[in-house]
């Protein structure tokens, strides 16, 4: 790009920066020097390929979504939390909000994630262990008691049974007297990544996609600020993928949901802002920063050029980041604080919109209160002390970071082509029921391609670790240590007994005939084409349980079984 065009861009950025709201904060260095809100090429310089880098707040958004960077608003501190019953988790949420957490993020226990009630025999021993147990709308009401749902943005990490859990959240809001139309938050919902990596699915892919389509339609019509999908690379990376695979599979999944919305006749500029993303921040500092920058650029280009998005918000890739659970070690667990800080810094320098920092004890158990506090304080140290919020995309223009960004983007584009090619093999061009990328994803799930690609990458890394080519402190180098064992959080089995008793009591008190009638109406919708959200909401209002709703759907749609791959 020639010097004149660069100067024009700088002026455009400056005008938008001047017009935007800024935080009332000190934007100087520790020594008191003023710094500019963004840096770019020297005046008069020509920079080849500068249109790929650009300025914060404009297409292709490589340098961030906002002209102000974090001067307008800092990232949301959103700590993922949940354990025991709704009452215990509610207390933890109040502690998080009181200590400066900016939003909530619900972790559900394994039975809830699998759409099973706490008294299901398969739930035995798991209730309240890796998250909070939610059986019905009454639990959701307790979970958010005293927390105004109209004011606090809440993210819920659940995909298989996301839709009935979302209905419980809407009913809890109704019971607080909050108009569901004003709710703002995020539901994970991303079923593609369940088949690809996390493996917590319920139904066959096609009916499940129809249910997600119903959810997208419902939200885009009536809950405009809510993000019904958090397209997740985190679990793909944690399963052992490379950074480029994480990026490419996740963005491809995102394209799949765009194709789903378009196939339902929804307007891309209306529904696309409801697609949000979720990435891992692993320990290779610069590669991660490059990944986040490439993610924004690829998404903006595909949304504009492939899917016809014209509004900026529909081209924006907004993302939450979690530091890499898989990088934490049980050996010398205090080192995990350092890893988490470095990973969190990479997320921030990559422009994350929301962040969770892992607790040092998470390889051993759910975080203790002290470990959760250190994790939260890690973000606060970055935000308040280090000066990283002063300048937007401070690494933009670094030869290394720009080259890495380009390389990861090129690798991702190659993977998109492979996915499309798999789709072409299944369905002839022009006949895709949802879209070409979706056909490729479904084929890749069906024939185990994603799983084996990830397994291959995981194996390559593990071999490198075992040959000492890659190092992990405390594991294959610097192993001697004076630190002792950590106190870890143990969730008592009494929680399970209490939850089962409470569920039994609620079942006795509800109007059985109303529950059966509401479930029957919901199943009629499931068998036809009508949007299922309203009838599901009625079932939830009648206190139908999560297990009852999911079992009815499992019966109709069939349970997914993964094909064996050797
Ligand atoms: C979009 C995100 C990513 C973030 O939403 P947030 O509400 O926190 O932030 P946001 O939308 O970026 O910002 C809030 C509002 O401020 C505006 N805003 C932000 N920065 C601004 C700036 N500089 N200038 C002007 N406006 C700005 C935004 O446009 C938005 O307004 P408007 O709305 O008006 O635009 C959302 O989807 C989210 O919260 N995701 C979290 C997902 C999550 O928690 N997942 C946990 C998974 S945990 C898991 O899976 C477990 C893994 C394990 O196994 O451990």
């Amino acid at each position: 790009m020639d010097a004149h065009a660069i100067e024009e861009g700088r002026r455009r950025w400056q005008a938008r920066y001047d017009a935007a709201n800024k935080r009332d904060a000190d934007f100087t260095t520790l020594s008191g020097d003023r710094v500019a809100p963004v840096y770019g090429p020297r005046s008069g310089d020509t920079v080849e390929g500068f249109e790929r880098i650009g300025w914060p707040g404009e297409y292709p958004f490589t340098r961030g979504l906002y002209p102000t960077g974090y001067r307008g608003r800092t990232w949301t501190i959103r700590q993922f939390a949940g354990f025991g019953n709704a009452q215990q988790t509610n207390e933890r949420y109040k502690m998080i909000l009181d200590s400066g957490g900016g939003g909530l993020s619900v972790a559900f226990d394994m039975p809830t994630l699998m759409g099973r009630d706490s008294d299901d025999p398969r739930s035995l021993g798991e209730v309240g262990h890796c998250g909070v147990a939610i059986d019905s709308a009454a639990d959701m009401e307790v979970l958010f008691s005293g927390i105004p749902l109209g004011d606090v943005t809440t993210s819920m990490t659940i995909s298989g049974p996301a839709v009935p859990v979302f209905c419980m959240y809407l009913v809890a809001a109704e019971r607080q007297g909050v108009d569901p139309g004003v709710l703002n938050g995020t539901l994970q919902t991303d079923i593609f990544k369940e088949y690809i990596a996390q493996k917590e699915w319920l139904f066959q892919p096609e009916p499940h996609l129809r249910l997600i389509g119903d959810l997208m339609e419902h939200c885009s019509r009536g809950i405009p600020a809510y993000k019904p999908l958090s397209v997740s690379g985190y679990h793909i990376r944690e399963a052992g993928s490379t950074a480029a695979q994480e990026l490419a599979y996740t963005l491809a999944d995102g394209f799949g949901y765009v194709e789903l919305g378009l196939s339902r006749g929804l307007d891309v500029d209306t529904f696309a802002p409801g697609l949000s993303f979720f990435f891992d921040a692993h320990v290779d500092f610069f590669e991660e920063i490059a990944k986040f920058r490439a993610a924004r650029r690829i998404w903006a280009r595909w949304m504009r050029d492939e899917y016809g998005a014209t509004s900026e918000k529909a081209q924006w890739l907004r993302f939450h980041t979690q530091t890499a659970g898989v990088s934490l070690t049980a050996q010398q667990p205090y080192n995990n604080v350092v890893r988490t800080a470095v990973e969190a810094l990479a997320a921030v320098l990559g422009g994350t919109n929301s962040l969770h920092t892992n607790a040092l004890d998470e390889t051993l158990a759910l975080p203790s209160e002290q470990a959760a506090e250190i994790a939260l304080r890690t973000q606060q140290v970055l935000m308040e002390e280090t000066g990283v919020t002063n300048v937007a995309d401070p690494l933009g223009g670094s030869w290394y970071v720009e080259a890495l960004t380009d390389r990861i983007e090129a690798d991702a584009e190659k993977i998109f082509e492979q996915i499309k090619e798999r789709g072409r093999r299944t369905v002839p061009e022009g006949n895709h029921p949802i879209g070409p990328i979706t056909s490729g994803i479904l084929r890749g799930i069906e024939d185990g391609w994603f799983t084996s690609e990830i397994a291959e990458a995981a194996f390559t890394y593990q071999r490198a670790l075992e040959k000492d080519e890659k190092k992990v402190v405390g594991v294959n180098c610097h192993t001697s240590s004076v630190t002792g064992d950590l106190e870890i959080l143990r969730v008592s089995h009494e929680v399970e007994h209490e939850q089962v008793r409470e569920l039994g009591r609620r079942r006795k008190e509800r109007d059985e005939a109303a529950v059966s009638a509401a479930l029957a109406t919901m199943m009629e919708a499931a068998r036809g084409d009508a949007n299922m959200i309203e009838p599901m909401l009625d079932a939830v209002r009648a206190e139908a349980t999560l297990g009852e709703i999911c079992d009815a759907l499992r019966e109709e749609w069939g349970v997914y079984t993964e094909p064996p791959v050797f």
Side-chain angles (χ1 to χ4, degrees):
M1 186 181 277
D2 68 27
H4 176 70
I6 292 175
E7 281 318 302
E8 250 179 35
R10 196 193 311 270
R11 273 195 293 278
R12 258 194 328 270
W13 165 82
Q14 186 73 53
R16 294 183 77 175
Y17 176 83
D18 291 343
N21 290 330
K22 270 80 74 184
R23 286 182 295 120
D24 180 18
D26 166 38
F27 300 121
T28 65
T29 68
L30 201 58
S31 319
D33 290 333
R34 282 166 58 92
V35 289
V38 72
Y39 288 81
R42 272 182 318 196
S43 235
D45 281 1
T46 292
V47 181
E48 203 186 319
F50 190 71
E51 61 284 352
R52 300 164 57 72
I53 302 171
W55 299 93
E58 67 174 38
Y59 186 89
F61 305 105
T62 313
R63 308 196 68 189
L65 305 177
Y66 305 100
T68 49
Y70 293 127
R71 287 192 181 196
R73 183 185 185 278
T74 51
W75 68 89
T76 306
I77 298 180
R78 195 181 291 285
Q79 296 296 85
F80 181 56
F83 66 97
N85 61 24
Q87 180 61 42
Q88 287 170 305
T89 298
N90 174 269
E91 285 159 21
R92 178 65 69 92
Y93 288 168
K94 288 179 175 156
M95 179 279 251
I96 289 174
L97 292 173
D98 287 346
S99 1
L104 296 176
S105 174
V106 185
F108 295 97
D109 70 357
M110 192 51 77
T112 309
L113 291 172
M114 298 308 294
R116 307 255 179 229
D117 288 336
S118 297
D119 59 0
D120 187 300
R122 282 159 289 197
S123 304
L124 186 71
E126 288 292 342
V127 175
H129 276 259
C130 70
V132 59
I134 298 292
D135 289 311
S136 73
D139 283 325
M140 202 61 106
E141 224 181 317
V142 174
L143 186 68
F144 294 116
S145 126
I147 298 172
L149 286 176
D151 302 333
V152 178
T153 61
T154 300
S155 146
M156 294 191 290
T157 293
I158 192 155
S159 292
V163 180
V165 164
F166 175 66
C167 289
M168 290 175 191
Y169 166 76
L170 292 190
V171 169
E174 277 172 16
R175 290 178 186 172
Q176 280 191 1
V178 173
D179 167 12
V182 306
L183 292 172
N184 190 348
T186 305
L187 187 67
Q188 192 161 77
T189 315
D190 178 9
I191 205 64
F192 285 141
K193 73 96 166 83
E194 296 297 339
Y195 300 120
I196 291 174
Q198 200 177 14
K199 315 286 177 188
E200 289 162 6
W201 57 72
L202 303 191
F203 320 118
Q204 299 289 338
E206 284 82 1
H208 202 121
L209 286 179
R210 173 263 168 111
L211 187 59
I212 294 177
D214 287 359
L215 174 73
M216 289 168 74
E217 192 172 74
H218 184 87
C219 290
S220 77
R221 297 218 166 117
I223 319 180
Y226 196 80
K227 269 82 55 197
L229 269 149
S230 173
V231 191
S232 302
Y234 186 83
H235 318 81
I236 292 171
R237 190 65 182 283
E238 294 278 300
S241 81
T242 63
Q245 285 172 331
E246 176 197 359
L247 180 64
Y249 297 169
T250 310
L251 294 188
D253 290 348
F255 301 147
Y257 296 119
V258 172
E259 292 179 350
L260 177 63
L262 292 172
S263 74
R264 303 276 298 226
L266 302 178
D267 169 40
V268 69
D269 285 320
T270 309
F271 78 78
L275 298 175
S276 164
F277 286 83
F278 170 36
F279 293 112
D280 197 284
H282 219 304
V283 77
D284 187 322
F285 189 66
F286 290 105
E287 186 173 55
E288 294 303 287
I289 296 167
K291 179 184 78 183
F292 301 128
R293 298 174 82 251
R296 273 190 301 269
R297 183 157 79 204
I298 298 170
W299 185 253
R301 193 180 61 252
W302 274 67
M303 289 307 290
R304 190 187 72 172
D305 298 347
E306 299 280 328
Y307 298 118
T310 56
S311 80
E312 284 200 337
K313 272 200 170 177
Q315 297 169 1
W316 278 1
L317 179 140
R318 294 201 251 196
F319 68 101
H320 173 75
T321 309
Q322 179 166 337
T323 54
V326 79
S327 73
L328 305 181
T329 61
Q331 300 89 333
Q332 303 176 24
Y334 291 101
N335 300 346
N336 293 332
V337 177
V338 182
R339 295 188 178 99
T340 297
V342 170
E343 293 162 359
L345 183 59
V348 168
L349 294 179
T352 196
N353 305 99
S354 165
L355 179 62
H356 167 99
T357 31
N358 288 326
L360 71 115
D361 52 0
E362 285 192 54
T363 42
L364 303 163
L366 287 184
S368 67
E369 207 161 318
Q370 291 88 332
E373 185 178 290
I374 296 171
L376 173 69
R377 296 284 180 249
T378 304
Q379 293 203 39
Q380 290 165 335
V381 168
L382 290 178
M383 192 182 276
E384 311 285 358
E385 298 181 19
T386 63
V388 290
T389 58
N390 286 346
V391 179
D393 188 39
L395 293 173
S398 143
W399 290 330
Y400 179 38
V401 171
E402 295 302 350
L404 269 181
T405 306
D406 289 349
R407 196 213 69 209
I408 291 201
E409 180 177 18
D411 288 351
E413 290 291 343
K414 273 188 220 136
I415 296 175
F416 298 148
E417 205 28 64
Q418 291 174 326
I419 293 172
K420 268 195 181 164
E421 176 50 32
R422 305 193 87 71
R424 279 187 215 112
R425 274 189 239 155
T426 325
V427 186
E429 204 65 56
N431 283 332
H432 298 286
I434 296 179
I437 290 275
T438 313
S439 297
I441 296 170
L442 291 173
R443 175 65 192 260
I445 289 167
E446 228 168 72
D447 65 14
W449 180 73
F450 290 106
T451 310
S452 41
E453 291 287 296
I454 295 170
E456 189 61 38
F459 179 67
T460 304
Y461 173 74
Q462 188 61 31
R463 213 172 27 196
L465 195 65
E466 285 169 15
K467 285 188 190 159
D468 288 344
E469 290 162 6
K470 296 281 180 201
K471 306 272 189 194
V472 178
V473 171
V475 175
N476 64 353
C477 61
H478 314 293
T479 48
S480 68
S481 170
V482 292
T483 54
D485 288 344
L486 287 177
E487 285 264 330
I488 59 167
L489 179 86
R490 293 188 197 280
V491 179
S492 138
H493 283 292
E494 192 41 43
V495 167
E496 179 164 315
H497 301 144
E498 256 175 53
Q499 183 72 15
V500 169
R501 272 197 299 272
E502 185 59 17
L503 178 59
R505 189 184 62 75
R506 283 195 202 133
R507 277 216 180 91
K508 276 203 197 101
E509 282 174 4
R510 67 187 186 175
D511 177 346
E512 273 314 315
V515 174
S516 306
L519 283 173
T521 310
M522 183 191 85
M523 290 316 296
E524 247 171 68
R527 284 187 278 269
D529 308 325
N531 190 301
M532 289 184 60
I533 307 298
E534 281 302 336
M536 195 179 279
L537 272 168
D538 284 337
V540 165
R541 286 185 189 109
E543 284 293 321
T545 65
L546 186 64
E548 289 162 348
I549 293 172
C550 293
D551 282 345
L553 294 173
R554 272 189 267 254
E555 181 128 333
E556 179 65 28
W557 288 341
V559 176
Y560 177 71
T561 311
E562 192 170 36
V565 178
F566 301 101

